[in-house]
Amino acid sequence: MFSVRDRLKINLLPIKLFAIVLLTVVGSEAARKTKCEVVSALRAQGVPDGDLRDWLCLVENESSFRYDITNEQNDNGSKDYGIFQLSNGYWCDRPHGTTSSICWRLNTYGCHVSCSNLLNSDISDDAECAVRIKNCKGFREWAAWRDDCSDVSGSEFDYSSC
């Protein structure tokens, strides 16, 4: 026979499980940006509408619109950070990072942004760096774009409601 204490523990188990599941779902959604939030950040950097489908495909395939993630590790030992998955080997946490849009400076010194800033909910600095990279090196700098974004005509990349 179960004691009152044991019955109380058993009765609370479904409530505890529900709370854990709810916190997991809410927590994972909280660290995502919507398509329109990404479009807004990119437009603020002067991205033309003709490029937005490519950007949305890139973000979907690099980070699933999550801004709080890093990858495990790249072959060269670097890690990628944030919604655009920018590498600490080239773009963030660089000792002499630059705000310049001159390609040789950007390619040599990286962006003037810390990798930890790429993991917060403000994606404006992420977009600023990513757009400069794209303007110098093209979308091909991102493996996910090369591998998964040859056709961006699908409705999942539609931004007309933004």
Side-chain angles (χ1 to χ4, degrees), residues 68-133:
D68 66 338
I69 63 168
T70 62
N71 67 343
E72 291 298 315
Q73 192 170 40
N74 296 318
D75 291 340
N76 65 1
S78 67
K79 291 180 83 172
D80 299 334
Y81 292 80
I83 197 163
F84 297 103
Q85 289 292 278
L86 303 179
S87 170
N88 67 347
Y90 303 102
W91 309 117
C92 62
D93 280 352
R94 300 296 303 229
H96 303 290
T98 183
T99 57
S100 174
S101 291
I102 298 171
C103 291
W104 74 264
R105 286 188 180 153
L106 180 64
N107 294 336
T108 302
Y109 301 114
C111 295
H112 184 67
V113 65
S114 71
C115 295
S116 62
N117 278 359
L118 300 175
L119 300 175
N120 64 30
S121 63
D122 177 4
I123 63 167
S124 61
D125 51 356
D126 312 44
E128 187 267 339
C129 181
V131 168
R132 288 192 296 138
I133 295 166

Side-chain angles (χ1 to χ4, degrees), residues 2-27:
F2 291 111
S3 70
V4 172
R5 184 179 209 167
D6 290 336
R7 281 186 280 179
L8 186 57
K9 284 182 184 177
I10 292 170
N11 289 337
L12 290 177
L13 184 61
I15 294 170
K16 287 180 181 177
L17 288 174
F18 176 74
I20 290 169
V21 169
L22 182 62
L23 287 172
T24 301
V25 169
V26 170

Side-chain angles (χ1 to χ4, degrees), residues 7 15 22 34 50 57 63 122 157 161:
R7 281 186 280 179
I15 294 170
L22 182 62
T34 65
C57 182
S63 66
D122 177 4
F157 308 120
S161 64

